[in-house]
Amino acid sequence: MTLSKLALTVTEDDINRGLEAALEKVSEGPQGEGLKKIKNPRVELKKGLVVFKCRASMGIMPVPVEAQVRLEPAQGGAALNVTLEKLSMAMMAGNMIAGQVMAQLATAVAGKPGLSVSGTTLTVEVNALAQMRGIKLGGALRTLEVNNRELVLDFE
């Protein structure tokens, strides 16, 4: 299959339904025990950011977790940059926690085609990942907007 043009609008509800289904499926696998500690995961789309919120069981009380992520086309539309703008867990926030999470992410994606981490940014090479699913991309990601509860992608 070759994909040359695509205009896609995804709502918060679409993302949250997918997130719920994905977490349920992954929790049945070998890393399932850790994922069972995540409660009430939700995504909010606002002011140019994708905001992920949940409560994580750490000890006797659930801890609120919030990550704010900025998405933008990169490499002339051949890639997507996913930048961790802010991360907070309970009363802790700041660069130290974000750095630790990004270091773990860098280790996890090392050697994986189409994925790389630099600083607080995960770069996703869109064509490389599409090819893994048998899709050839004939265009590039031109615009990506996060606004009032919607994520709008224009691929041309």
Side-chain angles (χ1 to χ4, degrees):
M1 173 191 330
T2 300
L3 181 63
S4 296
K5 279 187 144 184
L6 175 67
L8 179 67
T9 299
V10 183
T11 67
E12 278 181 6
D13 291 338
D14 296 331
I15 294 170
N16 284 316
R17 278 193 299 273
L19 176 62
E20 185 177 310
L23 283 176
E24 185 175 315
K25 184 176 181 177
V26 173
S27 70
E28 297 168 359
Q31 303 199 356
E33 284 307 309
L35 290 175
K36 289 178 183 174
K37 294 179 180 185
I38 297 174
K39 305 292 182 203
N40 304 321
R42 304 295 300 157
V43 169
E44 295 176 4
L45 303 172
K46 58 184 179 183
K47 299 178 186 170
L49 296 172
V50 177
V51 181
F52 173 79
K53 295 180 178 184
C54 72
R55 296 187 79 67
S57 297
M58 296 180 178
I60 59 173
M61 292 181 42
V63 174
V65 177
E66 180 177 308
Q68 296 181 6
V69 176
R70 181 167 312 282
L71 306 174
E72 57 192 357
Q75 301 174 10
L80 172 67
N81 277 347
V82 181
T83 302
L84 181 59
E85 296 283 328
K86 179 180 177 186
L87 177 63
S88 60
M89 297 176 68
M91 308 268 278
M92 300 179 294
N95 293 336
M96 186 174 78
I97 295 171
Q100 290 174 352
V101 168
M102 294 308 291
Q104 290 178 0
L105 182 59
T107 300
V109 303
K112 304 249 193 270
L115 299 171
S116 61
V117 173
S118 176
T120 59
T121 299
L122 168 68
T123 300
V124 178
E125 294 174 23
V126 181
N127 202 16
L129 293 183
Q131 285 178 354
M132 292 172 71
R133 295 290 186 186
I135 300 170
K136 180 182 178 190
L137 299 178
L141 181 59
R142 293 292 168 218
T143 60
L144 186 148
E145 297 176 20
V146 179
N147 52 47
N148 190 24
R149 299 184 52 148
E150 292 183 334
L151 172 64
V152 180
L153 300 161
D154 185 16
F155 182 85
E156 185 177 340

